[in-house]
Amino acid sequence: MTKVYGTGTYDFKRHRVAEYPVEPPLQLADKPADSKPGSSLPASITLSEIQRDRLTQIAAANWLVSSGDGDGGGEAGGGGEAEGGGGRPFDPELVKDIYETELVVKGGRKPVPLQRVMILEVSQYLENYLWPNFNPRAATFEHVMSMILMVNEKFRENVAAWTCFYDRKDQFKGFLDRVLRLKEGRDLSIPEKTNYLVFMINAFQSLEDEIVSETVLRLASLQSWHSLSFGRFQMELCLNPDLIKKWKRMIKRESKDATKRGEQFDPSSKLESNFLRNLMEEFLEVLDFKVFPQPDDDNGNDGTIGAYSLGRVDDASVLYCERFIEFLIDLLSQLPTRRYLRPLVADVAIVAKCHLSALYRHEKGKLFAQLVDLLQFYEGFEINDHVGTQLTDDEVVQSHYERLQSFQLLAFKKVPKLRELALANIGAIHKRNDLTKKLSVLTKDELRDLVCHKLKLVSKEDPWSDRVDFLVEVMVSYFGKQQSQKEAINALPLYPNEQIMWDESLVPSINYSGEGCLALPKLNLQFLTLHDYLLRNFNLFRLESTYEIREDIQEAVPHLLASINNEGETAFRGWSRMAVPIKEFKMTEVKQPNIGEVKPASVTAAVTFSISSYRAQVRSEWNALKEHDVLFLLSIRPSFEPLSSEEASKASVPQRLGLQYVRGCEIIEIRDEDGTLMNDFTGRIKRDEWKPPKGELRTVTVALDAAQYHMDVTDIAEKGSEDVYGTFNILMRRKPKENNFKAILESIRDLMNEYCIVPEWLHNIFLGYGNPSAAQWTNMPDLLDVVDFKDTFLDANHLKESFSEYEVSFVNPDGSENSLPKPPFRIRLPRTLKSNTHALPGNRKSDTSMDDVNVADAGSEKENLIVEAYIPPDPGPYPQDQPKQNSVRFTPTQVGAIISGIQPGLTMVVGPPGTGKTDTAVQILNVLYHNCPSQRTLIITHSNQALNDLFEKIMERDVPARYLLRLGQGEQELATDLDFSRQGRVNAMLVRRLELLSEVERLARSLGLPEDVGYTCETAGYFWLLHVYSRWEQFLAACADNEDKPSFVQDRFPFKEFFSDTPQPVFTGQSFEKDMRAAKGCFCHLKTMFQELEECRAFELLKSTADRANYLMTKQAKIVAMTCTHAALKRKDFLQLGFKYDNLLMEESAQILEIETFIPMLLQRQEDGYARLKRCILIGDHHQLPPVVKNMAFQKYSHMDQSLFTRFVRLGIPYIELNAQGRARPSIAKLYNWRYRDLGDLPFLKEAAIFHRANAGFTYDYQLIDVPDYHGRGESAPSPWFYQNEGEAEYVVSVYMYMRLLGYPANKISILTTYNGQKLLIRDVINRRCVPYDFIGPPSKVTTVDKFQGQQNDFILLSLVRTRFVGHLRDVRRLIVAMSRARLGLYVFCRRSLFEQCYELQPTFRLLLQRPDHLALNLYEDTSYTDRHVGDTRDRYLVSGVEEMSSIVMDKIYRIYQMRNPQWDQYMAHSEQAAGAVSDNGAPNDHMISTSSQETENASVPVPPSNTSGNMLTDNKEDSAAVHDPVNEKDGELSLQSQQKGETEPEVHKSDGNGDMPESSNDETKMQE
């Protein structure tokens, strides 16, 4: 079959990286031009060309601190030489020259020459030259403007922009003031104005930065009202009388300040008064006169229309206008800036003027028009600006009616011509057309008088006030009824259709470089209301999922090879794993609409398809479809003749695919050929009745989108459109992991229709306002005064270490002193717990209070902390009665996190790599269960793996298994004997019931009573009350009078016979106290037994499995665990069942999308208008990688990859940072611990022998290995973002082979890289070089850094790939993940000269470069074990490069074959002669087979006798790309030495660990290069 990899320009897989687009190769001029809009870096530019570039040479001479060798082959021996930086004095003329020749754009849409800015930014122009030499008074315009461009570039690349300014805070303020005054007395060009605007946008998006917010917030303060027109100013003060006093106080203060300075008080001259007004007027001037340049413009109105007719558009001005609207949207969408800006926007009537502008209607103004509509939405947002509360639907309608009524009253009194309007009902005048018609009776002057004088909506000085259309527009936008967002969102289909999918303005394609703006909402620090929060997330999530679905369709459809057959019908010659032709589609039911709605209540259809053409594995995937899975119905109708190449290039993607319609649907049920129900999780089919599906036909009943169906049917009726539902011929599925979008969108929509949804204590913090520490436990009511810590502390010293700030004194329960305290301990916690482990404020805003606390602690005596040591009651005489004990010695910081977690409120725990996040979380759950046994806790994680890790550890704590429940599909992977799914728990309860009832029968027999008391749980309950409990009470009464008789308990205990089967005798008869304790233990055992029976009673009464499972979930389970995906999918079910919980613990919360964190907080209904949630514990690490967002536009522009955890940290909410890691050697941990506040090492890392021993065969435990160009090239990109580096791939694989030949187990080595392209290349090299040898085989994992987050291994080989620009590794979070995966050895392969210059990565690379940058081996060590100390670097051998490493490996392989086969020497002698005849390389070769890896592969490679892979090693690129089939491979053997040690090779995995199948040779799954 023909290989088909996609379609045209979309011919690549999506990769989740923040990168720059790669253009087709261009001819490189001396200075690469930024020609057409949207173009970016030419792909042909190489590192050597960058090194020769004029800017690089200027940088080297003036400010580069250290520079590596030009071709990347730095000397072995450490860091580069210091040069340049201080060599020449600062020259302002040089800054001016660079700015004018390199940074000023002369034409086109782009405001900056991107490539020139990138070269300057990478060379640290800002950090090393512009900023150190900045003086606020003396700096030139070019100097300030250059700094603005560099800061903008940092924001574009998503790296920290303000960090370098913090070494001189006063100068930083000076710089910001200079920026604000930059325009005074100077006229900027359009690109300069755009860059200035982008800087202001970035500043207003950084309000968490104290200095930035202090400077920019005054621009949007009350002072800006000095520039309001007098009429609008009066109107605003009348509407907000509270502001009158504030205004008077401000004026008084300003005039006093002016008098002190000896100046005359003139508020209008102040920067704050006019800054925003001047920006708006500048924008309107550009919009009117620059967008459509025209030589003579006399009148604004005629001019714009004339220009519009010309159609000549200035692209730079259009971009400026778009950026300005983005700027206003940003300011109106956060409360601190909105409050005083909104009247200003209304006063200037920006929205009305934009609506009437020529650009709004022009084809090039499509994005501008979308942005204006978004601005209009935020201008009229349903919020009280001054109080900050959300307006209810009733309040919005009421305020709209009041506004119209007052206007009618005014019209009735003052405007006789509007008498008809004044007497009309509101419904007849509040629509646009009606209002325009009613106002048309007025003349231009009358209308102007009404709008400017009577209503004061616009200033009479406004030049636009002469235009009738403008005045009408102002009236309509002020008095017209806006559709509420709730109505709009309820009418919206949740599934995307073909029109939305390929609309680039709604769903941008992958190559968004961060230069332009988009009509998308942004997720920043603060939100106006919960409604606003949900709305932004709804829109972004909907568009992000649309983008992913579009990519999946473009991937699946081409493989079907659609064509038109002789009958004129669509036929499919190919096949696709994810899409199958439909045999039959029929609508089964369309229900009547609900009252008050027009769309049907539900629409269902039946779809029949065949799975006969699939292999077993793909068949099982289709058979695994289940309820709630989302499918897509496609209608494909290709053109009769294939499109010519010219037609294909002009055609849209749907045209090329022949795609007519796309509709989404959700599975209700799936049946096999016999009509038997498959994959039922509701309990309708019992597990023991399940049978495998029969036949090859499958019928799915699906629910279609009712809103979409209504729209389609209306189109058929009104426009005569085609019946979409009669044309479907393909059914497409998606990977289940990626297919939860519909449930999340539905949940958001449901939440928008609810009210009071977030707990009161979390509400303000959630929106980003108020005191950041308001929800911390010390500020919460209803605290637990006394906490029983159970097994948290291993001994008394452990407790003292944890409370080192206190003088700890131990007492007995009766208050007497305890000299030999043993756990468990109860502690009465003081409300202001002093400790160095106290939560740290997330940013500088809260620092002062923390410092004060610690200073106070230092000066005063230690306070006393009273700890009660008690003896727990005897749990029972049987081994299973004994509680499981914690063995982890928690650090003081972990104890602080546990204390915070068990108290009410918000707890945030930052867990750096290897610091025991999971152990801390489990202990919080354990202590919480014992202190609040009636409360229920919900556990949420991002991945099934993390959830299973957490669950397995809970199993080892003293929490009864019957109270644990694991929901979702991942419970099958749990490594426990017990089944924790709903079905498994129900079965366990039923089995347990039978066991307990038989125990009751045994108890009855022992008491000489009839055995039928153990018939049901109910009869057992009566038996307990009548016979068991009554006997116990009689026994206690008898004991009270006979405490002096040692054998009394033994003689009189009523249940002695029942406990006769205990492993040890229960009573000794020697001590009354001891025997009484044992008797109470026995009674405790009985009490627990009958308590469990009482819990089993419900399972007796409920007959269906579904009812039992639901009861278990809603009533029985105390700890319920699920993934965030499952929570979103099942929210509706949870609400229907009345699911309740008091506490929420979320692991990996820095990896979960904001909205996916929010939904789990709301899986229960409110109780009497209040939320039940008492605790929210978020555990994560914002210094590691954020959630995955596949579309670059949503990630970079909308910050959709910001997690709730990260936002809370940015807001300054206090968090506890765990500070002792137990994963990596302390030396390796130094590579990343600089990123954390105080990350140390656990004691055992310094004690354990394994961390003191060196890595056998290597001189160092970590090293950076510089990899120069290989065969004349560094990085390459066969398709955009698909970066590869052949030299690094060969080098990494050679080092892996070297390790395996020494005897390192393959499962202890992982190969990581930063790009998918490199991952596939390394896999190809492994298949070519490792798989043929049975003693080498593939490593544990070859994957990307992003996919390996949350995992670890002993040895990591890391390839950084890039040689031109650092790329997305500039995101420090990715670097931290990459550096923190290794326990014992980390070897980093990269281009030294590139990475050592990167400012953000310097702390790590400075450490790496203290060692040689050539791989240092110890060739005297032949096994994977050594006694050499890790610091012993003798016998060092530096490898010169890739070729030499390859030779060392081949030499070792040769020796192994010699040992295996004594005749091998004769064969090798012959092959060396042959190699010598062909070789061009005349270099002598004593101890190596060959010095070139190419020769190695072609001439002198030993042929494995077993020929496992079936092919020789080859240099043929096509052959090397074929991927092996692990199923047919023999189990690999280790080298001889490791076999002697008894090490075994792990089984070769069929998955790469990412949940994906390996890239196989079939067209559908193979990822193309």
Side-chain angles (χ1 to χ4, degrees), residues 1471-1525:
S1471 74
E1472 275 179 2
Q1473 284 170 11
V1478 247
S1479 171
D1480 299 330
N1481 183 357
N1485 189 2
D1486 301 328
H1487 71 288
M1488 301 169 194
I1489 295 174
S1490 161
T1491 54
S1492 152
S1493 65
Q1494 296 299 312
E1495 291 170 29
T1496 304
E1497 286 157 14
N1498 291 335
S1500 48
V1501 174
V1503 181
S1506 59
N1507 200 10
T1508 0
S1509 69
N1511 66 333
M1512 291 281 289
L1513 290 182
T1514 170
D1515 196 37
N1516 183 325
K1517 288 285 180 287
E1518 284 177 17
D1519 288 355
S1520 73
V1523 179
H1524 75 293
D1525 180 5

Side-chain angles (χ1 to χ4, degrees), residues 177-195:
D177 284 333
R178 267 303 303 273
V179 171
L180 299 186
R181 298 186 183 278
L182 193 64
K183 293 187 175 184
E184 290 176 1
R186 186 178 182 110
D187 196 24
L188 274 61
S189 67
I190 294 288
E192 285 173 337
K193 284 177 179 174
T194 306
N195 292 326

Side-chain angles (χ1 to χ4, degrees), residues 16 61 192 237 507 579 626 1100 1152 1158 1223 1313 1377 1450:
R16 310 170 176 183
E192 285 173 337
L237 287 185
V507 188
K626 60 187 181 303
E1100 231 170 41
I1152 306 178
F1158 185 55
R1223 172 184 294 174
T1313 174
V1377 174
M1450 296 318 297

Side-chain angles (χ1 to χ4, degrees), residues 98-223:
I98 289 174
Y99 181 73
E100 289 176 348
T101 57
E102 302 285 0
L103 300 179
V104 173
V105 174
K106 299 292 188 288
R109 178 179 167 88
K110 291 197 173 187
V112 287
L114 187 59
Q115 187 206 323
R116 315 307 289 159
V117 173
M118 282 172 66
I119 289 177
L120 282 171
E121 214 284 302
V122 167
S123 74
Q124 298 175 39
Y125 185 37
L126 175 66
E127 293 88 349
N128 291 350
Y129 201 63
L130 294 176
W131 175 238
N133 299 301
F134 177 78
N135 179 332
R137 291 185 189 81
T140 60
F141 168 82
E142 289 78 15
H143 192 147
V144 178
M145 206 66 206
S146 300
M147 288 175 74
I148 284 175
L149 291 181
M150 293 300 115
V151 170
N152 288 351
E153 175 60 15
K154 282 188 179 293
F155 270 98
R156 192 188 74 82
E157 294 195 31
N158 272 348
V159 295
W162 309 115
T163 349
C164 70
F165 293 106
Y166 265 86
D167 55 352
R168 299 188 296 157
K169 290 188 181 180
D170 292 342
Q171 301 282 28
F172 185 22
K173 287 178 183 170
F175 164 63
L176 292 171
D177 284 333
R178 267 303 303 273
V179 171
L180 299 186
R181 298 186 183 278
L182 193 64
K183 293 187 175 184
E184 290 176 1
R186 186 178 182 110
D187 196 24
L188 274 61
S189 67
I190 294 288
E192 285 173 337
K193 284 177 179 174
T194 306
N195 292 326
Y196 186 83
L197 256 182
V198 172
F199 181 86
M200 293 310 296
I201 288 168
N202 292 332
F204 275 104
Q205 289 275 305
S206 308
L207 293 184
E208 78 272 26
D209 191 291
E210 212 172 349
I211 295 175
V212 176
S213 65
E214 204 178 289
T215 311
V216 299
L217 278 181
R218 57 194 171 103
L219 301 177
S221 66
L222 189 56
Q223 288 168 299

Side-chain angles (χ1 to χ4, degrees), residues 36 206 346 412 720 942 1057 1250 1268:
K36 63 178 196 286
S206 308
F412 187 79
H942 173 60
E1057 191 183 330
I1250 191 169

Side-chain angles (χ1 to χ4, degrees), residues 538-558:
F538 181 87
N539 287 325
L540 282 176
F541 201 90
R542 182 167 175 262
L543 294 172
E544 160 75 356
S545 53
T546 300
Y547 166 76
E548 292 176 25
I549 293 160
R550 179 177 82 182
E551 295 293 305
D552 287 344
I553 290 175
Q554 286 170 187
E555 223 168 89
V557 170

Side-chain angles (χ1 to χ4, degrees), residues 1383-1552:
R1383 288 183 67 240
L1384 302 173
L1386 172 67
Y1387 302 95
V1388 182
F1389 299 80
C1390 68
R1391 182 65 56 90
R1392 170 188 173 154
S1393 55
L1394 174 67
F1395 286 94
E1396 73 176 333
Q1397 287 302 336
C1398 183
Y1399 178 73
E1400 288 76 21
L1401 312 183
Q1402 275 187 353
T1404 294
F1405 278 86
R1406 212 177 286 131
L1407 272 175
L1408 286 168
L1409 290 169
Q1410 285 172 4
R1411 296 180 174 182
D1413 61 2
H1414 282 52
L1415 180 61
L1417 300 180
N1418 186 319
L1419 296 174
Y1420 294 100
E1421 291 170 343
D1422 284 336
T1423 71
S1424 61
Y1425 179 83
T1426 178
D1427 284 322
R1428 179 167 53 92
H1429 188 269
V1430 70
D1432 180 356
T1433 58
R1434 287 170 301 174
D1435 302 325
R1436 183 176 80 179
Y1437 179 82
L1438 294 177
V1439 179
S1440 63
V1442 188
E1443 288 84 359
E1444 187 183 357
M1445 190 66 219
S1446 187
S1447 301
I1448 291 170
V1449 167
M1450 296 318 297
D1451 189 31
K1452 283 189 171 294
I1453 291 177
Y1454 167 58
R1455 283 187 211 150
I1456 285 176
Y1457 276 106
Q1458 263 187 327
M1459 288 166 68
R1460 284 186 169 190
N1461 187 353
Q1463 282 81 44
W1464 186 252
D1465 281 340
Q1466 296 164 16
Y1467 168 77
M1468 286 309 297
H1470 172 72
S1471 74
E1472 275 179 2
Q1473 284 170 11
V1478 247
S1479 171
D1480 299 330
N1481 183 357
N1485 189 2
D1486 301 328
H1487 71 288
M1488 301 169 194
I1489 295 174
S1490 161
T1491 54
S1492 152
S1493 65
Q1494 296 299 312
E1495 291 170 29
T1496 304
E1497 286 157 14
N1498 291 335
S1500 48
V1501 174
V1503 181
S1506 59
N1507 200 10
T1508 0
S1509 69
N1511 66 333
M1512 291 281 289
L1513 290 182
T1514 170
D1515 196 37
N1516 183 325
K1517 288 285 180 287
E1518 284 177 17
D1519 288 355
S1520 73
V1523 179
H1524 75 293
D1525 180 5
V1527 182
N1528 300 327
E1529 202 177 274
K1530 289 185 184 175
D1531 286 343
E1533 295 169 5
L1534 289 174
S1535 64
L1536 303 175
Q1537 296 92 346
S1538 60
Q1539 284 177 5
Q1540 288 157 9
K1541 290 188 171 48
E1543 290 170 347
T1544 53
E1545 168 73 11
E1547 156 193 355
V1548 179
H1549 296 298
K1550 295 185 190 179
S1551 138
D1552 65 7

